[in-house]
Amino acid sequence: MREPLETAELLAFSKTVDAKSLSRAAAELGVPRATISRRLQRLEQQLGVRLLRRTTRRLVLTDAGEAFYRHARLVLDAVEKAEASVLRPDGELRGDLRISLPPFQNASFHALLFDFAERHPDVRLQVHFGSEHVDLVRRGYDIALRASQALEPALVA
């Protein structure tokens, strides 16, 4: 089974074609020229086809490279749209934030929650106070405050 293509390789290829230069592509991506070259080699090896003819002065797309470039651009554009769909231009947080907390009365912690809600009006806080052990993944919690030595699989502490 063949390994899936990496987005970094598609981006290196696309930037190289757009910039018409490995050096310019590397500068635009903020990586060394050797990194771009390695990514292009790896991409061509994975595909089993030459995408670019490179000389010291020119880069020319092969027929396969032209076809692949059109599809790579579609993929990269889709990735950009996917990112834009969840990021706000102003950098503000938004969406639901589900929190599971043990029952306690701590005015400063409650004030912290209220302050967060006030500073981020597009975040809908859903706070569950309870002493029972809830399945965080199945119940869709984003954050939990727990006192325990055990960490469930797939959770980060």
Side-chain angles (χ1 to χ4, degrees):
M1 186 173 168
R2 191 172 63 76
E3 282 192 41
L5 300 177
E6 296 286 331
T7 307
E9 293 165 354
L10 295 178
L11 188 57
F13 172 69
S14 178
K15 279 287 187 196
T16 300
V17 171
D18 293 343
K20 298 177 178 56
S21 159
L22 265 73
S23 298
R24 278 195 295 268
E28 287 180 26
L29 292 172
V31 298
R33 185 182 185 281
T35 300
I36 297 294
S37 184
R38 274 193 309 276
R39 287 177 182 167
L40 292 174
Q41 278 182 323
R42 193 168 44 238
L43 183 60
E44 289 178 333
Q45 285 173 349
Q46 280 186 282
L47 294 172
V49 65
R50 181 162 297 285
L51 300 172
L52 294 165
R53 280 190 216 89
R54 298 183 280 276
T55 67
T56 55
R57 296 180 189 259
R58 292 180 56 187
L59 286 173
V60 179
L61 278 171
T62 64
D63 289 343
E66 285 184 34
F68 188 76
Y69 175 75
R70 285 192 303 274
H71 292 287
R73 274 295 355 136
L74 291 172
V75 168
L76 293 170
D77 290 345
V79 169
E80 287 176 19
K81 287 178 184 170
E83 285 180 333
S85 74
V86 296
L87 298 176
R88 293 192 48 161
D90 57 7
E92 281 296 312
L93 301 176
R94 69 173 176 202
D96 294 333
L97 181 61
R98 299 195 67 215
I99 304 170
S100 175
L101 298 169
F104 62 92
Q105 297 299 318
N106 182 310
S108 62
F109 187 80
H110 291 243
L112 179 74
L113 286 176
F114 287 120
D115 182 53
F116 179 89
E118 200 170 79
R119 285 188 293 128
H120 303 286
D122 292 336
V123 174
R124 286 178 303 280
L125 282 177
Q126 298 174 14
V127 183
H128 172 262
F129 289 97
S131 55
E132 75 276 0
H133 185 80
V134 295
D135 184 332
L136 301 174
V137 175
R138 197 164 36 120
R139 300 260 314 263
Y141 285 100
D142 300 297
I143 300 170
L145 183 60
R146 292 200 172 152
S148 173
Q149 294 292 329
L151 180 63
E152 296 171 26
L155 296 183
V156 178

